[in-house]
PDB file of all heavy atoms in Angstrom:
ATOM      1  N   GLU A   1      -1.041  29.140  -5.367  1.00  0.00           N
ATOM      2  CA  GLU A   1      -1.360  27.726  -5.557  1.00  0.00           C
ATOM      3  C   GLU A   1      -0.358  26.815  -4.843  1.00  0.00           C
ATOM      4  O   GLU A   1      -0.707  25.850  -4.163  1.00  0.00           O
ATOM      5  CB  GLU A   1      -1.417  27.412  -7.049  1.00  0.00           C
ATOM      6  CG  GLU A   1      -1.843  26.011  -7.400  1.00  0.00           C
ATOM      7  CD  GLU A   1      -1.948  25.788  -8.904  1.00  0.00           C
ATOM      8  OE1 GLU A   1      -2.269  26.759  -9.611  1.00  0.00           O
ATOM      9  OE2 GLU A   1      -1.727  24.653  -9.330  1.00  0.00           O
ATOM     10  N   VAL A   2       0.940  27.129  -5.031  1.00  0.00           N
ATOM     11  CA  VAL A   2       1.966  26.338  -4.382  1.00  0.00           C
ATOM     12  C   VAL A   2       1.920  26.492  -2.834  1.00  0.00           C
ATOM     13  O   VAL A   2       2.072  25.546  -2.102  1.00  0.00           O
ATOM     14  CB  VAL A   2       3.358  26.694  -4.940  1.00  0.00           C
ATOM     15  CG1 VAL A   2       4.478  25.922  -4.167  1.00  0.00           C
ATOM     16  CG2 VAL A   2       3.452  26.401  -6.420  1.00  0.00           C
ATOM     17  N   PHE A   3       1.644  27.729  -2.415  1.00  0.00           N
ATOM     18  CA  PHE A   3       1.564  27.975  -0.993  1.00  0.00           C
ATOM     19  C   PHE A   3       0.440  27.164  -0.338  1.00  0.00           C
ATOM     20  O   PHE A   3       0.590  26.610   0.753  1.00  0.00           O
ATOM     21  CB  PHE A   3       1.314  29.486  -0.751  1.00  0.00           C
ATOM     22  CG  PHE A   3       1.272  29.863   0.702  1.00  0.00           C
ATOM     23  CD1 PHE A   3       2.433  29.859   1.475  1.00  0.00           C
ATOM     24  CD2 PHE A   3       0.051  30.273   1.310  1.00  0.00           C
ATOM     25  CE1 PHE A   3       2.402  30.235   2.831  1.00  0.00           C
ATOM     26  CE2 PHE A   3       0.027  30.642   2.658  1.00  0.00           C
ATOM     27  CZ  PHE A   3       1.183  30.614   3.411  1.00  0.00           C
ATOM     28  N   ALA A   4      -0.697  27.036  -1.048  1.00  0.00           N
ATOM     29  CA  ALA A   4      -1.803  26.239  -0.529  1.00  0.00           C
ATOM     30  C   ALA A   4      -1.417  24.776  -0.404  1.00  0.00           C
ATOM     31  O   ALA A   4      -1.785  24.103   0.551  1.00  0.00           O
ATOM     32  CB  ALA A   4      -3.008  26.405  -1.465  1.00  0.00           C
ATOM     33  N   VAL A   5      -0.624  24.301  -1.364  1.00  0.00           N
ATOM     34  CA  VAL A   5      -0.170  22.907  -1.331  1.00  0.00           C
ATOM     35  C   VAL A   5       0.716  22.684  -0.105  1.00  0.00           C
ATOM     36  O   VAL A   5       0.589  21.681   0.626  1.00  0.00           O
ATOM     37  CB  VAL A   5       0.597  22.556  -2.627  1.00  0.00           C
ATOM     38  CG1 VAL A   5       1.292  21.191  -2.462  1.00  0.00           C
ATOM     39  CG2 VAL A   5      -0.368  22.503  -3.803  1.00  0.00           C
ATOM     40  N   THR A   6       1.618  23.627   0.131  1.00  0.00           N
ATOM     41  CA  THR A   6       2.599  23.445   1.212  1.00  0.00           C
ATOM     42  C   THR A   6       1.943  23.541   2.602  1.00  0.00           C
ATOM     43  O   THR A   6       2.507  23.126   3.577  1.00  0.00           O
ATOM     44  CB  THR A   6       3.733  24.505   1.157  1.00  0.00           C
ATOM     45  OG1 THR A   6       3.157  25.802   1.375  1.00  0.00           O
ATOM     46  CG2 THR A   6       4.433  24.462  -0.190  1.00  0.00           C
ATOM     47  N   ASN A   7       0.700  24.035   2.634  1.00  0.00           N
ATOM     48  CA  ASN A   7      -0.015  24.102   3.920  1.00  0.00           C
ATOM     49  C   ASN A   7      -0.985  22.958   4.121  1.00  0.00           C
ATOM     50  O   ASN A   7      -1.805  22.993   5.041  1.00  0.00           O
ATOM     51  CB  ASN A   7      -0.729  25.462   4.038  1.00  0.00           C
ATOM     52  CG  ASN A   7       0.196  26.550   4.463  1.00  0.00           C
ATOM     53  OD1 ASN A   7       0.503  26.730   5.635  1.00  0.00           O
ATOM     54  ND2 ASN A   7       0.705  27.329   3.500  1.00  0.00           N
ATOM     55  N   SER A   8      -0.897  21.972   3.287  1.00  0.00           N
ATOM     56  CA  SER A   8      -1.665  20.763   3.424  1.00  0.00           C
ATOM     57  C   SER A   8      -0.733  19.596   3.701  1.00  0.00           C
ATOM     58  O   SER A   8       0.102  19.244   2.841  1.00  0.00           O
ATOM     59  CB  SER A   8      -2.500  20.478   2.171  1.00  0.00           C
ATOM     60  OG  SER A   8      -2.949  19.138   2.165  1.00  0.00           O
ATOM     61  N   ASN A   9      -0.843  19.002   4.871  1.00  0.00           N
ATOM     62  CA  ASN A   9       0.041  17.871   5.208  1.00  0.00           C
ATOM     63  C   ASN A   9      -0.086  16.741   4.212  1.00  0.00           C
ATOM     64  O   ASN A   9       0.906  16.141   3.787  1.00  0.00           O
ATOM     65  CB  ASN A   9      -0.267  17.336   6.622  1.00  0.00           C
ATOM     66  CG  ASN A   9       0.331  18.217   7.712  1.00  0.00           C
ATOM     67  OD1 ASN A   9       1.297  18.949   7.474  1.00  0.00           O
ATOM     68  ND2 ASN A   9      -0.254  18.178   8.891  1.00  0.00           N
ATOM     69  N   ALA A  10      -1.313  16.394   3.841  1.00  0.00           N
ATOM     70  CA  ALA A  10      -1.550  15.295   2.919  1.00  0.00           C
ATOM     71  C   ALA A  10      -0.905  15.539   1.542  1.00  0.00           C
ATOM     72  O   ALA A  10      -0.252  14.667   0.968  1.00  0.00           O
ATOM     73  CB  ALA A  10      -3.061  15.053   2.759  1.00  0.00           C
ATOM     74  N   LYS A  11      -1.058  16.782   1.044  1.00  0.00           N
ATOM     75  CA  LYS A  11      -0.495  17.134  -0.246  1.00  0.00           C
ATOM     76  C   LYS A  11       1.053  17.131  -0.173  1.00  0.00           C
ATOM     77  O   LYS A  11       1.739  16.680  -1.088  1.00  0.00           O
ATOM     78  CB  LYS A  11      -1.038  18.471  -0.745  1.00  0.00           C
ATOM     79  CG  LYS A  11      -2.499  18.392  -1.119  1.00  0.00           C
ATOM     80  CD  LYS A  11      -2.996  19.760  -1.639  1.00  0.00           C
ATOM     81  CE  LYS A  11      -4.454  19.624  -2.071  1.00  0.00           C
ATOM     82  NZ  LYS A  11      -4.989  20.950  -2.547  1.00  0.00           N
ATOM     83  N   CYS A  12       1.559  17.683   0.893  1.00  0.00           N
ATOM     84  CA  CYS A  12       3.028  17.738   1.059  1.00  0.00           C
ATOM     85  C   CYS A  12       3.637  16.334   1.103  1.00  0.00           C
ATOM     86  O   CYS A  12       4.698  16.105   0.501  1.00  0.00           O
ATOM     87  CB  CYS A  12       3.379  18.478   2.365  1.00  0.00           C
ATOM     88  SG  CYS A  12       3.643  20.221   2.132  1.00  0.00           S
ATOM     89  N   LEU A  13       2.972  15.411   1.770  1.00  0.00           N
ATOM     90  CA  LEU A  13       3.484  14.048   1.855  1.00  0.00           C
ATOM     91  C   LEU A  13       3.560  13.412   0.478  1.00  0.00           C
ATOM     92  O   LEU A  13       4.559  12.746   0.137  1.00  0.00           O
ATOM     93  CB  LEU A  13       2.616  13.181   2.763  1.00  0.00           C
ATOM     94  CG  LEU A  13       2.761  13.384   4.273  1.00  0.00           C
ATOM     95  CD1 LEU A  13       1.706  12.612   5.045  1.00  0.00           C
ATOM     96  CD2 LEU A  13       4.167  12.926   4.721  1.00  0.00           C
ATOM     97  N   ARG A  14       2.556  13.668  -0.356  1.00  0.00           N
ATOM     98  CA  ARG A  14       2.584  13.060  -1.701  1.00  0.00           C
ATOM     99  C   ARG A  14       3.623  13.779  -2.557  1.00  0.00           C
ATOM    100  O   ARG A  14       4.335  13.096  -3.330  1.00  0.00           O
ATOM    101  CB  ARG A  14       1.179  13.240  -2.324  1.00  0.00           C
ATOM    102  CG  ARG A  14       0.216  12.185  -1.758  1.00  0.00           C
ATOM    103  CD  ARG A  14      -1.269  12.620  -1.831  1.00  0.00           C
ATOM    104  NE  ARG A  14      -2.103  11.585  -1.322  1.00  0.00           N
ATOM    105  CZ  ARG A  14      -2.319  11.368   0.004  1.00  0.00           C
ATOM    106  NH1 ARG A  14      -1.697  12.153   0.881  1.00  0.00           N
ATOM    107  NH2 ARG A  14      -3.102  10.396   0.400  1.00  0.00           N
ATOM    108  N   MET A  15       3.758  15.067  -2.455  1.00  0.00           N
ATOM    109  CA  MET A  15       4.747  15.838  -3.180  1.00  0.00           C
ATOM    110  C   MET A  15       6.156  15.330  -2.872  1.00  0.00           C
ATOM    111  O   MET A  15       6.973  15.091  -3.764  1.00  0.00           O
ATOM    112  CB  MET A  15       4.616  17.312  -2.859  1.00  0.00           C
ATOM    113  CG  MET A  15       5.643  18.206  -3.527  1.00  0.00           C
ATOM    114  SD  MET A  15       5.420  19.917  -3.060  1.00  0.00           S
ATOM    115  CE  MET A  15       5.900  19.858  -1.317  1.00  0.00           C
ATOM    116  N   ILE A  16       6.439  15.127  -1.595  1.00  0.00           N
ATOM    117  CA  ILE A  16       7.763  14.673  -1.175  1.00  0.00           C
ATOM    118  C   ILE A  16       8.015  13.255  -1.643  1.00  0.00           C
ATOM    119  O   ILE A  16       9.105  12.905  -2.120  1.00  0.00           O
ATOM    120  CB  ILE A  16       7.903  14.802   0.345  1.00  0.00           C
ATOM    121  CG1 ILE A  16       7.917  16.247   0.765  1.00  0.00           C
ATOM    122  CG2 ILE A  16       9.151  14.077   0.843  1.00  0.00           C
ATOM    123  CD1 ILE A  16       7.780  16.490   2.256  1.00  0.00           C
ATOM    124  N   SER A  17       6.972  12.395  -1.553  1.00  0.00           N
ATOM    125  CA  SER A  17       7.122  11.011  -2.025  1.00  0.00           C
ATOM    126  C   SER A  17       7.427  10.925  -3.500  1.00  0.00           C
ATOM    127  O   SER A  17       8.339  10.215  -3.926  1.00  0.00           O
ATOM    128  CB  SER A  17       5.804  10.245  -1.711  1.00  0.00           C
ATOM    129  OG  SER A  17       5.883   8.936  -2.212  1.00  0.00           O
ATOM    130  N   ILE A  18       6.714  11.725  -4.300  1.00  0.00           N
ATOM    131  CA  ILE A  18       6.977  11.727  -5.744  1.00  0.00           C
ATOM    132  C   ILE A  18       8.353  12.305  -6.071  1.00  0.00           C
ATOM    133  O   ILE A  18       9.077  11.758  -6.912  1.00  0.00           O
ATOM    134  CB  ILE A  18       5.869  12.519  -6.458  1.00  0.00           C
ATOM    135  CG1 ILE A  18       4.518  11.773  -6.334  1.00  0.00           C
ATOM    136  CG2 ILE A  18       6.211  12.735  -7.933  1.00  0.00           C
ATOM    137  CD1 ILE A  18       3.331  12.609  -6.792  1.00  0.00           C
ATOM    138  N   ALA A  19       8.730  13.426  -5.389  1.00  0.00           N
ATOM    139  CA  ALA A  19      10.026  14.035  -5.644  1.00  0.00           C
ATOM    140  C   ALA A  19      11.169  13.070  -5.339  1.00  0.00           C
ATOM    141  O   ALA A  19      12.148  12.959  -6.079  1.00  0.00           O
ATOM    142  CB  ALA A  19      10.150  15.300  -4.848  1.00  0.00           C
ATOM    143  N   ARG A  20      11.061  12.363  -4.215  1.00  0.00           N
ATOM    144  CA  ARG A  20      12.103  11.392  -3.834  1.00  0.00           C
ATOM    145  C   ARG A  20      12.128  10.247  -4.828  1.00  0.00           C
ATOM    146  O   ARG A  20      13.211   9.757  -5.207  1.00  0.00           O
ATOM    147  CB  ARG A  20      11.853  10.909  -2.439  1.00  0.00           C
ATOM    148  CG  ARG A  20      12.177  11.920  -1.353  1.00  0.00           C
ATOM    149  CD  ARG A  20      11.856  11.446   0.033  1.00  0.00           C
ATOM    150  NE  ARG A  20      12.287  12.399   1.048  1.00  0.00           N
ATOM    151  CZ  ARG A  20      11.921  12.376   2.323  1.00  0.00           C
ATOM    152  NH1 ARG A  20      11.094  11.411   2.748  1.00  0.00           N
ATOM    153  NH2 ARG A  20      12.324  13.310   3.173  1.00  0.00           N
ATOM    154  N   SER A  21      10.992   9.778  -5.266  1.00  0.00           N
ATOM    155  CA  SER A  21      10.935   8.720  -6.256  1.00  0.00           C
ATOM    156  C   SER A  21      11.638   9.150  -7.564  1.00  0.00           C
ATOM    157  O   SER A  21      12.377   8.397  -8.163  1.00  0.00           O
ATOM    158  CB  SER A  21       9.473   8.329  -6.543  1.00  0.00           C
ATOM    159  OG  SER A  21       9.389   7.407  -7.612  1.00  0.00           O
ATOM    160  N   ALA A  22      11.391  10.384  -7.974  1.00  0.00           N
ATOM    161  CA  ALA A  22      12.019  10.906  -9.213  1.00  0.00           C
ATOM    162  C   ALA A  22      13.520  10.941  -9.043  1.00  0.00           C
ATOM    163  O   ALA A  22      14.267  10.585  -9.982  1.00  0.00           O
ATOM    164  CB  ALA A  22      11.464  12.282  -9.540  1.00  0.00           C
ATOM    165  N   GLN A  23      14.004  11.387  -7.870  1.00  0.00           N
ATOM    166  CA  GLN A  23      15.464  11.484  -7.672  1.00  0.00           C
ATOM    167  C   GLN A  23      16.112  10.098  -7.635  1.00  0.00           C
ATOM    168  O   GLN A  23      17.242   9.961  -8.061  1.00  0.00           O
ATOM    169  CB  GLN A  23      15.712  12.262  -6.364  1.00  0.00           C
ATOM    170  CG  GLN A  23      15.403  13.732  -6.484  1.00  0.00           C
ATOM    171  CD  GLN A  23      15.404  14.462  -5.163  1.00  0.00           C
ATOM    172  OE1 GLN A  23      15.413  13.840  -4.090  1.00  0.00           O
ATOM    173  NE2 GLN A  23      15.370  15.791  -5.190  1.00  0.00           N
ATOM    174  N   HIS A  24      15.390   9.104  -7.159  1.00  0.00           N
ATOM    175  CA  HIS A  24      15.968   7.758  -7.053  1.00  0.00           C
ATOM    176  C   HIS A  24      15.778   6.937  -8.333  1.00  0.00           C
ATOM    177  O   HIS A  24      16.425   5.894  -8.513  1.00  0.00           O
ATOM    178  CB  HIS A  24      15.341   7.005  -5.854  1.00  0.00           C
ATOM    179  CG  HIS A  24      15.690   7.588  -4.529  1.00  0.00           C
ATOM    180  ND1 HIS A  24      14.802   7.604  -3.474  1.00  0.00           N
ATOM    181  CD2 HIS A  24      16.787   8.243  -4.099  1.00  0.00           C
ATOM    182  CE1 HIS A  24      15.371   8.217  -2.420  1.00  0.00           C
ATOM    183  NE2 HIS A  24      16.571   8.609  -2.821  1.00  0.00           N
ATOM    184  N   HIS A  25      14.856   7.396  -9.192  1.00  0.00           N
ATOM    185  CA  HIS A  25      14.497   6.625 -10.399  1.00  0.00           C
ATOM    186  C   HIS A  25      15.331   7.118 -11.571  1.00  0.00           C
ATOM    187  O   HIS A  25      14.859   7.757 -12.499  1.00  0.00           O
ATOM    188  CB  HIS A  25      13.023   6.796 -10.689  1.00  0.00           C
ATOM    189  CG  HIS A  25      12.416   5.666 -11.475  1.00  0.00           C
ATOM    190  ND1 HIS A  25      11.887   4.549 -10.860  1.00  0.00           N
ATOM    191  CD2 HIS A  25      12.263   5.493 -12.787  1.00  0.00           C
ATOM    192  CE1 HIS A  25      11.417   3.717 -11.780  1.00  0.00           C
ATOM    193  NE2 HIS A  25      11.608   4.261 -12.978  1.00  0.00           N
ATOM    194  N   ASN A  26      16.630   6.814 -11.527  1.00  0.00           N
ATOM    195  CA  ASN A  26      17.569   7.315 -12.535  1.00  0.00           C
ATOM    196  C   ASN A  26      17.518   6.417 -13.793  1.00  0.00           C
ATOM    197  O   ASN A  26      17.552   5.179 -13.707  1.00  0.00           O
ATOM    198  CB  ASN A  26      19.004   7.331 -12.001  1.00  0.00           C
ATOM    199  CG  ASN A  26      19.951   8.090 -12.903  1.00  0.00           C
ATOM    200  OD1 ASN A  26      20.349   7.575 -13.928  1.00  0.00           O
ATOM    201  ND2 ASN A  26      20.322   9.264 -12.521  1.00  0.00           N
ATOM    202  N   LEU A  27      17.442   7.060 -14.961  1.00  0.00           N
ATOM    203  CA  LEU A  27      17.216   6.322 -16.215  1.00  0.00           C
ATOM    204  C   LEU A  27      18.464   6.209 -17.113  1.00  0.00           C
ATOM    205  O   LEU A  27      18.345   5.780 -18.235  1.00  0.00           O
ATOM    206  CB  LEU A  27      16.101   6.994 -16.997  1.00  0.00           C
ATOM    207  CG  LEU A  27      14.702   7.062 -16.319  1.00  0.00           C
ATOM    208  CD1 LEU A  27      13.732   7.852 -17.150  1.00  0.00           C
ATOM    209  CD2 LEU A  27      14.185   5.670 -16.056  1.00  0.00           C
ATOM    210  N   ALA A  28      19.600   6.606 -16.581  1.00  0.00           N
ATOM    211  CA  ALA A  28      20.820   6.639 -17.418  1.00  0.00           C
ATOM    212  C   ALA A  28      21.066   5.315 -18.120  1.00  0.00           C
ATOM    213  O   ALA A  28      21.520   5.291 -19.275  1.00  0.00           O
ATOM    214  CB  ALA A  28      22.014   7.038 -16.582  1.00  0.00           C
ATOM    215  N   GLY A  29      20.831   4.208 -17.451  1.00  0.00           N
ATOM    216  CA  GLY A  29      21.117   2.902 -18.024  1.00  0.00           C
ATOM    217  C   GLY A  29      20.072   2.381 -18.978  1.00  0.00           C
ATOM    218  O   GLY A  29      20.261   1.341 -19.598  1.00  0.00           O
ATOM    219  N   ASP A  30      18.949   3.111 -19.118  1.00  0.00           N
ATOM    220  CA  ASP A  30      17.820   2.645 -19.944  1.00  0.00           C
ATOM    221  C   ASP A  30      17.594   3.440 -21.174  1.00  0.00           C
ATOM    222  O   ASP A  30      16.884   3.012 -22.091  1.00  0.00           O
ATOM    223  CB  ASP A  30      16.544   2.633 -19.089  1.00  0.00           C
ATOM    224  CG  ASP A  30      16.635   1.738 -17.869  1.00  0.00           C
ATOM    225  OD1 ASP A  30      16.985   0.560 -18.047  1.00  0.00           O
ATOM    226  OD2 ASP A  30      16.364   2.229 -16.762  1.00  0.00           O
ATOM    227  N   LEU A  31      18.110   4.659 -21.245  1.00  0.00           N
ATOM    228  CA  LEU A  31      17.731   5.581 -22.315  1.00  0.00           C
ATOM    229  C   LEU A  31      18.148   5.070 -23.696  1.00  0.00           C
ATOM    230  O   LEU A  31      17.510   5.427 -24.712  1.00  0.00           O
ATOM    231  CB  LEU A  31      18.340   6.976 -22.068  1.00  0.00           C
ATOM    232  CG  LEU A  31      17.816   7.710 -20.829  1.00  0.00           C
ATOM    233  CD1 LEU A  31      18.444   9.071 -20.721  1.00  0.00           C
ATOM    234  CD2 LEU A  31      16.286   7.807 -20.861  1.00  0.00           C
ATOM    235  N   HIS A  32      19.175   4.228 -23.776  1.00  0.00           N
ATOM    236  CA  HIS A  32      19.598   3.708 -25.096  1.00  0.00           C
ATOM    237  C   HIS A  32      18.537   2.880 -25.751  1.00  0.00           C
ATOM    238  O   HIS A  32      18.561   2.659 -26.961  1.00  0.00           O
ATOM    239  CB  HIS A  32      20.876   2.868 -24.915  1.00  0.00           C
ATOM    240  CG  HIS A  32      20.663   1.589 -24.179  1.00  0.00           C
ATOM    241  ND1 HIS A  32      20.598   1.491 -22.818  1.00  0.00           N
ATOM    242  CD2 HIS A  32      20.454   0.301 -24.649  1.00  0.00           C
ATOM    243  CE1 HIS A  32      20.379   0.235 -22.435  1.00  0.00           C
ATOM    244  NE2 HIS A  32      20.269  -0.482 -23.522  1.00  0.00           N
ATOM    245  N   ARG A  33      17.524   2.426 -24.980  1.00  0.00           N
ATOM    246  CA  ARG A  33      16.455   1.600 -25.525  1.00  0.00           C
ATOM    247  C   ARG A  33      15.330   2.414 -26.206  1.00  0.00           C
ATOM    248  O   ARG A  33      14.426   1.867 -26.829  1.00  0.00           O
ATOM    249  CB  ARG A  33      15.849   0.722 -24.446  1.00  0.00           C
ATOM    250  CG  ARG A  33      16.830  -0.264 -23.854  1.00  0.00           C
ATOM    251  CD  ARG A  33      16.167  -1.364 -23.021  1.00  0.00           C
ATOM    252  NE  ARG A  33      15.701  -0.877 -21.718  1.00  0.00           N
ATOM    253  CZ  ARG A  33      14.431  -0.832 -21.349  1.00  0.00           C
ATOM    254  NH1 ARG A  33      13.442  -1.163 -22.175  1.00  0.00           N
ATOM    255  NH2 ARG A  33      14.113  -0.386 -20.133  1.00  0.00           N
ATOM    256  N   ILE A  34      15.386   3.724 -26.031  1.00  0.00           N
ATOM    257  CA  ILE A  34      14.389   4.594 -26.680  1.00  0.00           C
ATOM    258  C   ILE A  34      14.861   4.973 -28.076  1.00  0.00           C
ATOM    259  O   ILE A  34      15.809   5.727 -28.245  1.00  0.00           O
ATOM    260  CB  ILE A  34      14.128   5.847 -25.824  1.00  0.00           C
ATOM    261  CG1 ILE A  34      13.534   5.438 -24.472  1.00  0.00           C
ATOM    262  CG2 ILE A  34      13.209   6.824 -26.560  1.00  0.00           C
ATOM    263  CD1 ILE A  34      13.257   6.581 -23.538  1.00  0.00           C
TER     264      ILE A  34
END
């Protein structure tokens, strides 16, 4: 299943976009509000 994803340019672009967003979206300063 993962291999099929990595062989699709469109899917790879979305995967990379989401992964980068997750790495940049740090919540350390917000967790005290939960």
Side-chain angles (χ1 to χ4, degrees):
E1 184 177 329
V2 175
F3 183 70
V5 170
T6 65
N7 279 279
S8 164
N9 282 337
K11 291 181 178 180
C12 268
L13 283 172
R14 284 156 179 79
M15 177 181 69
I16 291 168
S17 176
I18 292 168
R20 286 176 176 167
S21 173
Q23 289 170 348
H24 294 147
H25 205 88
N26 191 284
L27 299 176
D30 299 307
L31 295 182
H32 69 278
R33 297 194 285 115
I34 295 179

